[in-house]
Amino acid sequence: MTATAADVGHGYTTTGLPHRKIAIWAFIGSECMLFASLISTYLIYKGRSIAGPFPHEAWTDPSTHHVYKAILNIPVTSCSTFVLLMSSLAMVLALAAVENRDVPKHTLGDRILGSSKLWLFTTAALGATFLSFQAYEFTSFVHEGLTIRTNLFGSSFFTLTGFHGAHVTAGVLWLLTMLGIDFKRGLGPKDALNVDIMALYWHFVDVVWIAIFTLIYLIK
Amino acid sequence: MATIAAPLVVPRTADEPYGVWSWLATTDHKRIGTLYLFTALTFMLIGGLEAEIMRTQLMRPNQHIVSAELYNQLFTMHGTTMIFLVIMPLSAAFFNLLIPLQIGARDVAFPRLNAFSYWVYLFGGIFITLPILFGAAPNGGWFGYAPLTTKTYSPGLNIDFWVIGLQILGISSLAAGFNFITTIINMRAPGMNLMRMPLFTWMSFVVQFLIILAFPVITIALVFLLFDRFFGTNFYEIARGADPLLWQHLFWIFGHPEVYILVLPAFGLVSEVMPTFARKPLFGYPVMVYSGILIGMLGFGVWAHHMFAVGMGPIADSFFAVTTMLIAIPTGVKIFNWIFTLWGGSIRFTTAAMFAIGMVAMFTIGGISGVMHSSPPADLQQTDTYFVVGHFHYVIFGGSLMGLFAGLYTYFPKFTGRLLDERLGKWHFWVNFFGSNLVFFPMHFSGLLGMPRRIWTYDGGQGWDTFNFLSTMGAYLLIPATLILVYNIWKSTKSGRIAGNDPWGAGTLEWSIPSPPPPYNFAVIPKVTSRYPLWDVKPPLASTPVPNTPTHSEAPAPTAAELGIPMPYHTLKPFLTALALPIMFGGLMLMHLENKLPHYVFMYGGAAMLVGCLYWWLTTPLEPEHHHA
């Protein structure tokens, strides 16, 4: 294979992959270290809080004899985890719809599956639902007596899940921006790369949540 | 080719913009590299001045030239400045200038992100440097050990400036890291496979991975500290059960790879300079590549050798002692390979070659004292003494900085089109070489005699007086050395000799194009068939026999428009996006004011500006629409 002048013209890349695809993977690698630092700190500080409330067991304040129940509400968070996982499915469908925009659609099913607007909206809506769950969770924890200042558990828990929530928020804004562009001029195969990159980010944030849910919520 | 009579003019293409606007709005990697170069050199003068004041204070026992509080600020800012504002950005100047040129590309993968990185660096640098003028500079050491740096023990704004300043600077390094990784993976010219890539690009490649994997860790450590200081969290509150070693672990997981972030670019430059001036290919190229990768990987497994004194226990101590000894092997391999590159070569002792050889000698001394620390019992005697100060200055001053100077003398023509003056350069080298050895060598002795680091003064008669006096004299020698460099740069930028494409008879792609290169670098993207493509055409021994003799000056290169090469638009968006960061974080610092209005205005205003500018940037095209033939 010899390279001709046209091969190395504008748009030529060594790997054949677009630049942004490589950059997003590098970014995700970097983000792994970010969340690894947060999760490690949470695990190191697990069980080291001097005063409650605690994540998995009740605690009686020795001075007031007030009983604080275990903080983590696993059934509720299981629901929000399910919602976030489903958003990844919607994201996959959104990307497929953008890629196959020009494929003729014959049935109602084809049209539903092929609607990038519907699936982008669904992904964003599920993401926003997850964030609402988190807002509910945070407020109820504060009502139960756990704030970011209360103890080591509060500091490391709110910081870790807050960082994840901020990532989901950025993802929802990204999705809504794409949805806006879709309404304005329609997303087609030439936009597939942009949607693909967004999807990689979204799935990554989702995978991080699986790690958080397992390590922080499920393991006692 | 005609010899051109003085005054010579560096050829530039006709469509190149000029003036302040062209610098604020540039996306050209060579211009951004030039900005990095001059900004870093300016910060070097500031960091150097801080060191001179400290050495003056320590010249004799019991001096009171500065207060203990100011001394704390001086050593904190000297370290912070030299690491984050001088060595890393000087390396970034060469990443910017050389990576695209060495791989045969027209720019980096994301030109606007590249400009953004520079502006964030500049604003972050100003943010962290200015407070010293008001006596409010960071004062907790460059490592900022928590809990010492928590609000309880460090009230006041000093540490706030440090935490937020480093947070801003981290954004710059991370953005640049993603950019250069993509550039090196994806923008190599046809035939430029990984094992033909020049060693500077290779070492830069390793460094970018270290940056994107190490910086998130300090980001989180700093976030914890910032939350503790601003929002009352408990990450470093020992009374609340926090682990006093958490900061140290997080910091050094970043901090040790950072050491290699500082030195590997210099290794890369020396690996370009040695073959050029020995006029033979680099000895053991594949081993040089693999040892660089190995250093990068092992660099993540040695962090706790900074913590032998905290009592981690025999198992952890042994593990980190062994990994630290291991990392000396690939480093030693590099030193031998540089020596074998010189062996049998036809060496030209230009300034650049002298700096490169000096770097190998100085770095070897620093490396040997480094291996001494790898043994925990020995380290317990040496830690927190001037012995360690001597050690890491041999590594960073003798290793990184002298390697970067070797690069500067070699590559100055690619920044400016002109050569640095060789006579002044040799003065710079010798004064710098004697000066730096006179500062740092006696520190080994004062350290072994028990002089602790970071003390602002000391009593006489402990055997430290002579060594401190010598160190200070050496520090004073570095003043003329630096002034010679500054004068040389100033003079040579204005009236240095015109370099032409390839003043040194070097072998790699960056020398096949004019100095400075036209905005698009390569009119035709080259096809690469070997590691030293230019030497395939013209063997190294046939190349320019006398350095610094310009042979000819090329006619102005054609413009990008004439060649039909689409160029990125000039744009202020990266500048404005970067400007939003210090505004937003500055607003955060106003949180403790009685009147909350400025806090809200600056913080939310800055955040809105950041998001707005990002949207504006991301929704506008990089360059004019082009049509494929």
Side-chain angles (χ1 to χ4, degrees):
Chain A
M1 233 172 68
T2 52
T4 66
D7 286 337
V8 292
H10 221 59
Y12 167 85
T13 68
T14 312
T15 58
L17 293 169
H19 294 333
R20 277 173 288 170
K21 196 75 176 262
I22 291 170
I24 191 79
W25 278 110
F27 176 73
I28 286 173
S30 186
E31 290 269 273
C32 285
M33 291 300 283
L34 189 98
F35 280 106
S37 308
L38 285 164
I39 293 173
S40 313
T41 303
Y42 179 90
L43 294 177
I44 289 166
Y45 277 170
K46 200 170 168 182
R48 292 185 61 137
S49 300
I50 287 173
F54 297 125
H56 296 292
E57 60 271 21
W59 176 68
T60 314
D61 189 329
S63 54
T64 61
H65 302 290
H66 180 74
V67 179
Y68 294 87
K69 59 186 170 102
I71 284 291
L72 296 181
N73 187 339
I74 295 172
V76 168
T77 314
S78 304
C79 293
S80 71
T81 304
F82 179 75
V83 166
L84 195 63
L85 287 180
M86 286 306 105
S87 78
S88 262
L89 176 64
M91 187 73 250
V92 170
L93 292 174
L95 176 60
V98 170
E99 280 170 343
N100 300 322
R101 181 189 164 85
D102 300 333
V103 177
K105 280 133 192 121
H106 304 294
T107 64
L108 180 64
D110 282 356
R111 282 214 292 282
I112 290 174
L113 273 179
S115 165
S116 56
K117 293 187 189 68
L118 174 67
W119 297 114
L120 284 174
F121 175 79
T122 309
T123 316
L126 290 171
T129 310
F130 175 84
L131 288 172
S132 319
F133 268 105
Q134 194 171 41
Y136 163 76
E137 192 184 28
F138 279 19
T139 28
S140 64
F141 289 0
V142 170
H143 282 301
E144 287 166 33
L146 182 80
T147 71
I148 198 167
R149 299 173 175 209
T150 308
N151 55 14
L152 284 177
F153 164 59
S155 296
S156 52
F157 173 81
F158 282 113
T159 306
L160 166 59
T161 50
F163 255 81
H164 181 264
H167 277 75
V168 177
T169 309
V172 170
L173 287 176
W174 195 348
L175 280 158
L176 291 177
T177 308
M178 280 293 178
L179 187 62
I181 296 172
D182 202 357
F183 273 109
K184 203 171 147 197
R185 61 166 177 79
L187 294 173
K190 69 177 170 46
D191 303 296
L193 174 64
N194 286 337
V195 180
D196 193 2
I197 287 166
M198 178 173 71
L200 279 171
Y201 172 83
W202 189 260
H203 297 317
F204 167 73
V205 172
D206 210 350
V207 168
V208 169
W209 182 254
I210 293 174
I212 293 176
F213 184 62
T214 314
L215 292 171
I216 279 82
Y217 288 83
L218 295 185
I219 297 177
K220 292 239 160 101
Chain B
M1 280 168 219
T3 310
I4 308 244
L8 295 160
V9 178
V10 175
R12 285 199 169 271
T13 58
D15 60 346
E16 246 182 286
Y18 55 88
V20 178
W21 162 262
S22 72
W23 290 97
L24 291 180
T26 188
T27 54
D28 182 333
H29 69 99
K30 302 173 288 295
R31 282 182 168 235
I32 293 168
T34 309
L35 287 170
Y36 265 112
L37 176 70
F38 285 99
T39 313
L41 288 173
T42 309
F43 279 120
M44 187 179 83
L45 299 181
I46 297 171
L49 188 64
E50 287 157 357
E52 297 295 343
I53 298 171
M54 284 193 286
R55 277 317 323 166
T56 306
Q57 163 77 7
L58 294 177
M59 180 160 64
R60 295 181 188 289
N62 289 317
Q63 295 205 108
H64 293 83
I65 294 158
V66 294
S67 66
E69 167 55 28
L70 182 59
Y71 190 86
N72 287 351
Q73 297 185 14
L74 286 170
F75 75 67
T76 303
M77 283 315 294
H78 171 71
T80 305
T81 303
M82 288 306 190
I83 289 166
F84 295 104
L85 306 180
V86 179
I87 304 285
M88 284 184 73
L90 270 181
S91 306
F94 289 103
F95 298 155
N96 268 285
L97 178 76
L98 289 180
I99 289 174
L101 299 185
Q102 288 198 325
I103 62 174
R106 293 207 165 117
D107 206 322
V108 294
F110 307 103
R112 292 181 293 188
L113 188 65
N114 199 23
F116 173 75
S117 291
Y118 168 73
W119 294 113
V120 173
Y121 153 58
L122 177 67
F123 297 138
I126 293 172
F127 189 93
I128 208 167
T129 301
L130 271 188
I132 202 162
L133 298 178
F134 312 100
N139 53 3
W142 87 275
F143 40 79
Y145 278 172
L148 180 65
T149 44
T150 55
K151 207 84 186 168
T152 320
Y153 304 104
S154 296
L157 289 176
N158 311 52
I159 299 295
D160 293 340
F161 279 112
W162 185 77
V163 173
I164 292 174
L166 283 196
Q167 208 69 291
I168 296 175
L169 290 167
I171 295 170
S172 163
S173 303
L174 283 167
F178 304 133
N179 207 345
F180 289 124
I181 284 178
T182 310
T183 305
I184 295 172
I185 290 179
N186 224 21
M187 294 181 79
R188 282 169 286 132
M192 177 63 80
N193 60 36
L194 288 176
M195 289 317 266
R196 282 182 194 149
M197 223 158 63
L199 219 82
F200 173 73
T201 300
W202 246 118
M203 292 305 105
S204 309
F205 194 39
V206 174
V207 165
Q208 306 312 322
F209 279 100
L210 295 185
I211 287 176
I212 69 162
L213 297 177
F215 268 77
V217 184
I218 194 176
T219 300
I220 289 304
L222 288 167
V223 163
F224 292 162
L225 186 54
L226 190 133
F227 279 18
D228 272 12
R229 293 183 64 86
F230 282 82
F231 310 126
T233 53
N234 308 306
F235 290 104
Y236 304 119
E237 294 296 332
I238 310 303
R240 314 298 297 273
D243 190 329
L245 292 188
L246 177 70
W247 170 273
Q248 291 198 28
H249 278 294
L250 290 175
F251 183 83
W252 288 116
I253 288 172
F254 149 79
H256 203 85
E258 171 71 14
V259 173
Y260 296 104
I261 293 169
L262 296 174
V263 84
L264 283 178
F267 280 6
L269 284 169
V270 168
S271 304
E272 301 298 330
V273 173
M274 289 280 188
T276 300
F277 295 103
R279 289 186 275 185
K280 67 195 261 281
L282 188 69
F283 183 90
Y285 171 96
V287 184
M288 286 298 253
V289 171
Y290 297 138
S291 59
I293 297 172
L294 199 59
I295 289 173
M297 283 162 46
L298 285 174
F300 276 98
V302 297
W303 78 86
H305 70 210
H306 296 267
M307 300 164 59
F308 284 148
V310 305
M312 294 178 296
I315 293 176
D317 279 2
S318 314
F319 175 82
F320 287 102
V322 169
T323 52
T324 306
M325 290 172 194
L326 269 181
I327 209 167
I329 296 172
T331 317
V333 162
K334 281 193 173 290
I335 289 168
F336 282 114
N337 280 10
W338 287 321
I339 295 171
F340 290 140
T341 303
L342 293 173
W343 180 265
S346 174
I347 305 170
R348 283 171 295 168
F349 284 99
T350 60
T351 309
M354 289 158 80
F355 268 108
I357 295 165
M359 180 273 191
V360 174
M362 299 272 285
F363 183 82
T364 305
I365 296 174
I368 288 170
S369 58
V371 179
M372 290 165 73
H373 303 145
S374 69
S375 162
D379 184 72
L380 283 177
Q381 296 301 313
Q382 295 153 0
T383 193
D384 269 334
T385 70
Y386 260 83
F387 188 89
V388 175
V389 181
H391 153 69
F392 67 69
H393 278 94
Y394 266 88
V395 173
I396 294 183
F397 193 107
S400 305
L401 194 60
M402 283 181 61
L404 289 161
F405 282 155
L408 182 65
Y409 280 91
T410 310
Y411 286 106
F412 195 72
K414 290 293 160 193
F415 284 110
T416 62
R418 295 176 185 275
L419 289 154
L420 282 169
D421 187 279
E422 278 290 307
R423 199 172 52 85
L424 287 170
K426 293 209 167 108
W427 274 101
H428 173 216
F429 171 77
W430 284 114
V431 179
N432 186 77
F433 187 76
F434 279 114
S436 57
N437 277 292
L438 191 54
V439 196
F440 303 123
F441 204 73
M443 287 181 180
H444 295 102
F445 299 105
S446 48
L448 287 180
L449 291 172
M451 181 169 167
R453 293 169 73 176
R454 309 182 201 106
I455 50 167
W456 74 296
T457 190
Y458 54 94
D459 283 331
Q462 302 183 80
W464 308 343
D465 306 10
T466 316
F467 296 119
N468 274 290
F469 185 78
L470 289 175
S471 286
T472 303
M473 290 304 112
Y476 290 162
L477 261 185
L478 292 178
I479 299 176
T482 309
L483 291 179
I484 294 170
L485 173 69
V486 170
Y487 174 68
N488 195 354
I489 291 174
W490 176 75
K491 177 174 163 282
S492 303
T493 309
K494 273 180 29 180
S495 58
R497 297 200 191 194
I498 299 290
N501 288 8
D502 180 17
W504 311 115
T508 38
L509 281 184
E510 67 272 27
W511 301 106
S512 67
I513 51 174
S515 310
Y520 48 82
N521 299 346
F522 297 91
V524 176
I525 298 294
K527 288 184 202 73
V528 183
T529 50
S530 71
R531 282 180 195 147
Y532 296 96
L534 272 61
W535 284 351
D536 297 340
V537 187
K538 183 176 68 174
L541 285 171
S543 64
T544 4
V546 187
N548 220 358
T549 308
T551 48
H552 60 275
S553 171
E554 287 76 12
T559 66
E562 285 164 13
L563 293 166
I565 300 169
M567 296 300 291
Y569 292 121
H570 274 64
T571 171
L572 268 185
K573 289 166 204 119
F575 174 86
L576 293 172
T577 313
L579 188 60
L581 285 169
I583 294 176
M584 184 174 80
F585 281 117
L588 180 65
M589 294 209 40
L590 300 172
M591 194 177 93
H592 300 301
L593 285 184
E594 198 67 28
N595 180 359
K596 293 279 181 224
L597 188 66
H599 162 58
Y600 290 124
V601 168
F602 279 97
M603 199 170 80
Y604 292 109
M609 179 177 170
L610 181 71
V611 174
C613 288
L614 261 181
Y615 264 88
W616 185 31
W617 165 358
L618 292 172
T619 51
T620 42
L622 170 70
E623 54 196 22
E625 282 286 316
H626 51 272
H627 304 284
H628 291 290

